[in-house]
Amino acid sequence: MKDLFKYKILLVDDRKENIFALSAVLKSAGYISDSALSGSEALKLLLKNEYGLIILDVQMPIMSGFELAELIKGNSKTKDIPLIFLSANATQKEYFKLGHELGALDYLTKPVDETLLKLKVNNFLTIHNDNLILKKTNKDLEEKAMYANISYQDLYTSLSQEVFLINKEGIVVNVNRKGKLLCGIYAGDIINKQFLVSTCLKEIFDNDYSNFKNYFEQSNLKKTIEFKINKDANIFFYGDASILLTLIEGIPYLQISIFDVTENKEKERKLQLHLKVIDNTAKINQSIINGDSIDDFATKLLNSINDFIEVNSARIYTYDGYENKLDLISDKIDKNFEVELEKIIGGNSKKFVPAIKVGSNFKKIVEEKFPLITTDQNLIVDLIAEQWDNDELKKLSSLTQKILNVKTFGIIPIILNNVLFGLITFSSEKIINKEELDVILSFSKNISFAINKKQDEVKLTESETRFKLAMQGANEGLWDWNLITDRVYYSPVWKSMLGYNENELNGDITTFKNLLHKDDLE
């Protein structure tokens, strides 16, 4: 178990309330922190104390967070301390670019989510701890090599990390593993080969040989790079690569040490997906409060689904239980996808709504109320075919799937209190993993209430409209007195009978009493 609590954390923010909130969260997790309200105050603390992590506000007066970061990275004592920038504008691309150029490992957006803060602090203190261990190990190895009069390279096998030694020509001259490497190939397949053979190394250097060569021009090079590779289907490997320029017998080499941080990254990714569910559910519920139209509401809903997965098309249907049919209320289709689709089907895609026929997949979902999300290419062809009533179009379903490159097709029932009142369908060009599917299902459950409420709201509006039309058609004056609230509804026809306009007369019983002849008041 790594003792991460021995490392102090430096908080830099010009607002005391932000410092107080951050330090309180860190203290509750067992971490010790110092605080600075300005860049100059932070520099004094950095020269005096040792820190394992710096959380730094971007926007500060006199000396900005970016200016302070440049000074921190330029000092030999502080250059290796991990940096996390804190900003209310962390979603802007220029902030990301500038921050990473100055050595920031990540961003936190204000207001800071407590769970995410603790997770990131744990991740980056772990990286800092591992880097210090690696640094000490390398120093020990150099000393051993000097006293034992053996090759520096031979000692790499004692390291716990996966380490590559690459010469200036890009040839991997040594690896401290004999078996299968993290990138999926075997050590024997890369020794004395170009580094581009390794998926990990290729990703670290952006598949660019000139980028690799630039590292040899940087004296005192010590850099950490985060990377991700797709090992198999939707199985990802997340790594942190520590790059060090070293001299062995006077010859320069790049030493690449790769740390496996997949577990922590997966935890962080799942947390981010969970936060997206909460955030998007709140947006959908706000849409109801705002009184958005059913089209606007549905569009926001489909945009939310697109936040979780990359979809080419998504649709929302309401289910009519009396007539056993689906009604399309909204769809979101990628423009290029839509153009290709309409070329194939020879018409507007909105015209085609799945028929709930005996034996069809849509029929099964209506009856069983279970989602169907598939990557089976034959089943996808069948599902596309079920959306077309025309037999000629059904024959094109295989071609449609092939041209549109649909890899995943999903049908999700919208259920509340075990009652089906709609379906969401979507297609995607990527194969969706289990975590993403779980998130979509979780989101569909959260929004079921919202969709049901929106439908009721639409039905109520339609009912009120029919009532008003009926009253106008009857040409009779109507008034209605609520004895509890004392409010009275006077219909426009009732007002016109007495010679008043629709916007005249207050809606209470006093109006009626004032208009009544005194002889009839009793």
Side-chain angles (χ1 to χ4, degrees):
M1 182 69 183
K2 296 171 182 174
D3 180 16
L4 302 181
F5 299 115
K6 65 185 178 184
Y7 297 109
K8 261 189 175 184
I9 299 167
L10 178 59
L11 307 174
V12 189
D13 196 310
D14 62 313
R15 298 178 69 89
K16 288 184 179 179
E17 59 270 27
N18 291 344
I19 291 281
F20 180 79
L22 289 171
S23 60
V25 173
L26 294 174
K27 187 176 181 181
S28 70
Y31 298 107
I32 303 169
S33 64
D34 284 343
S35 59
L37 294 170
S38 67
S40 58
E41 192 178 328
L43 287 173
K44 290 176 185 176
L45 289 170
L46 283 164
L47 293 173
K48 183 180 176 183
N49 303 313
E50 299 287 337
Y51 294 100
L53 176 66
I54 303 171
I55 300 177
L56 174 60
D57 185 28
V58 169
Q59 295 168 313
M60 294 189 297
I62 304 176
M63 185 190 296
S64 73
F66 292 136
E67 291 169 329
L68 177 57
E70 195 167 3
L71 292 173
I72 291 170
K73 291 302 175 183
N75 186 287
S76 59
K77 184 177 184 291
T78 59
K79 64 185 179 68
D80 293 330
I81 305 173
L83 276 178
I84 299 179
F85 276 143
L86 186 65
S87 174
N89 300 308
T91 54
Q92 295 182 7
K93 288 182 180 178
E94 62 268 23
Y95 277 87
F96 274 117
K97 183 175 182 296
L98 182 56
H100 286 298
E101 285 174 355
L102 292 170
L105 292 180
D106 211 334
Y107 271 91
L108 281 170
T109 307
K110 297 178 183 178
V112 176
D113 180 88
E114 290 186 17
T115 308
L116 188 58
L117 171 63
K118 292 175 185 177
L119 182 62
K120 286 183 183 291
V121 167
N122 180 275
N123 287 351
F124 294 127
L125 284 180
T126 299
I127 292 170
H128 182 65
N129 185 71
D130 289 343
N131 281 339
L132 290 180
I133 292 171
L134 177 63
K135 195 172 182 180
K136 185 179 183 304
T137 304
N138 285 342
K139 188 177 179 181
D140 291 344
L141 286 175
E142 287 174 346
E143 291 176 357
K144 286 179 184 178
M146 184 172 61
Y147 288 111
N149 195 27
I150 59 175
S151 168
Y152 179 87
Q153 296 164 326
D154 292 338
L155 296 172
Y156 271 73
T157 53
S158 64
L159 290 175
S160 59
Q161 295 83 22
E162 195 166 279
V163 182
F164 299 80
L165 204 64
I166 310 174
N167 67 19
K168 205 167 184 178
E169 286 69 44
I171 303 298
V172 179
V173 297
N174 201 3
V175 185
N176 71 328
R177 294 284 184 273
K178 292 184 178 180
K180 195 171 186 179
L181 302 175
L182 294 170
C183 61
I185 64 174
Y186 288 86
D189 297 330
I190 192 171
I191 295 290
N192 297 323
K193 301 277 181 66
Q194 272 281 340
F195 72 88
L196 294 172
V197 174
S198 164
T199 312
C200 290
L201 295 175
K202 187 162 63 173
E203 186 67 26
I204 291 165
F205 296 109
D206 294 328
N207 198 20
D208 187 347
Y209 186 71
S210 61
N211 187 29
F212 162 80
K213 293 285 285 184
N214 287 337
Y215 283 104
F216 283 90
E217 308 302 323
Q218 302 176 39
S219 59
N220 300 318
L221 172 68
K222 178 73 165 62
K223 187 171 185 178
T224 300
I225 293 176
E226 293 182 18
F227 69 95
K228 178 182 80 170
I229 60 169
N230 192 337
K231 290 182 73 172
D232 181 30
N234 277 304
I235 300 173
F236 290 99
F237 169 78
Y238 296 86
D240 281 329
S242 177
I243 306 175
L244 180 69
L245 184 62
T246 185
L247 287 175
I248 301 176
E249 297 177 357
I251 300 172
Y253 293 88
L254 282 188
Q255 175 185 296
I256 318 297
S257 302
I258 296 178
F259 301 85
D260 185 350
V261 294
T262 303
E263 185 178 350
N264 284 338
K265 285 293 182 182
E266 282 297 320
K267 286 179 182 176
E268 186 175 329
R269 190 178 67 83
K270 288 175 184 177
L271 175 62
Q272 292 284 12
L273 285 173
H274 177 68
L275 292 174
K276 273 188 179 182
V277 170
I278 295 171
D279 183 49
N280 281 288
T281 302
K283 287 177 183 177
I284 295 304
N285 288 330
Q286 187 62 43
S287 180
I288 296 172
I289 296 169
N290 294 343
D292 289 351
S293 68
I294 190 70
D295 286 339
D296 289 341
F297 171 81
T299 298
K300 286 181 181 178
L301 180 57
L302 293 177
N303 285 336
S304 291
I305 294 170
N306 201 52
D307 267 357
F308 304 126
I309 53 169
E310 297 170 16
V311 296
N312 298 110
S313 70
R315 294 178 139 200
I316 302 176
Y317 304 93
T318 54
Y319 172 64
D320 186 334
Y322 293 103
E323 296 188 21
N324 194 32
K325 69 170 188 175
L326 297 172
D327 293 310
L328 178 67
I329 63 168
S330 187
D331 66 352
K332 178 183 176 63
I333 299 181
D334 176 85
K335 197 62 190 173
N336 295 330
F337 187 90
E338 185 176 27
V339 169
E340 292 299 321
L341 177 62
E342 293 188 349
K343 278 182 188 175
I344 296 167
I345 64 177
N348 189 330
S349 61
K350 292 182 178 63
K351 290 180 180 178
F352 301 100
V353 177
I356 305 174
K357 296 176 180 176
V358 175
S360 72
N361 287 287
F362 286 89
K363 176 74 172 175
K364 290 175 186 173
I365 290 170
V366 165
E367 291 175 345
E368 298 173 7
K369 302 185 183 71
F370 281 108
L372 170 61
I373 301 172
T374 182
T375 56
D376 183 322
Q377 297 301 291
N378 292 326
L379 183 52
I380 290 173
V381 170
D382 292 340
L383 290 168
I384 292 173
E386 285 180 22
Q387 295 186 79
W388 320 131
D389 286 332
N390 186 298
D391 288 337
E392 291 301 313
L393 291 175
K394 283 184 179 181
K395 294 175 184 177
L396 293 173
S397 61
S398 179
L399 180 64
T400 305
Q401 186 273 329
K402 185 176 180 181
I403 292 175
L404 298 179
N405 196 29
V406 178
K407 292 287 194 302
T408 305
F409 195 99
I411 308 172
I412 303 171
I414 305 166
I415 302 166
L416 188 66
N417 297 328
N418 204 35
V419 176
L420 177 79
F421 53 91
L423 295 177
I424 298 172
T425 67
F426 68 87
S427 65
S428 176
E429 287 186 357
K430 64 173 283 192
I431 296 174
I432 297 168
N433 62 36
K434 185 180 182 301
E435 286 80 13
E436 289 170 319
L437 295 183
D438 289 343
V439 167
I440 296 168
L441 294 175
S442 172
F443 180 61
S444 70
K445 289 175 185 175
N446 285 0
I447 59 164
S448 289
F449 175 76
I451 296 175
N452 187 42
K453 188 173 176 64
K454 182 49 104 175
Q455 279 188 301
D456 289 344
E457 185 183 287
V458 171
K459 288 175 183 176
L460 179 61
T461 303
E462 290 173 350
S463 177
E464 288 173 347
T465 302
R466 285 195 295 271
F467 175 74
K468 288 178 182 178
L469 290 171
M471 288 302 98
Q472 290 171 8
N475 200 31
E476 292 181 357
L478 174 73
W479 63 277
D480 179 67
W481 181 14
N482 187 322
L483 297 175
I484 297 173
T485 64
D486 226 21
R487 297 293 296 169
V488 184
Y489 167 75
Y490 303 106
S491 72
V493 176
W494 187 91
K495 292 178 183 179
S496 68
M497 285 178 171
L498 300 180
Y500 292 95
N501 294 322
E502 185 176 347
N503 59 353
E504 293 184 278
L505 302 179
N506 292 326
D508 53 45
I509 196 61
T510 306
T511 298
F512 190 91
K513 290 178 180 178
N514 291 340
L515 292 171
L516 198 62
H517 193 279
K518 62 180 181 179
D519 293 344
D520 295 327
L521 190 57
E522 187 179 349

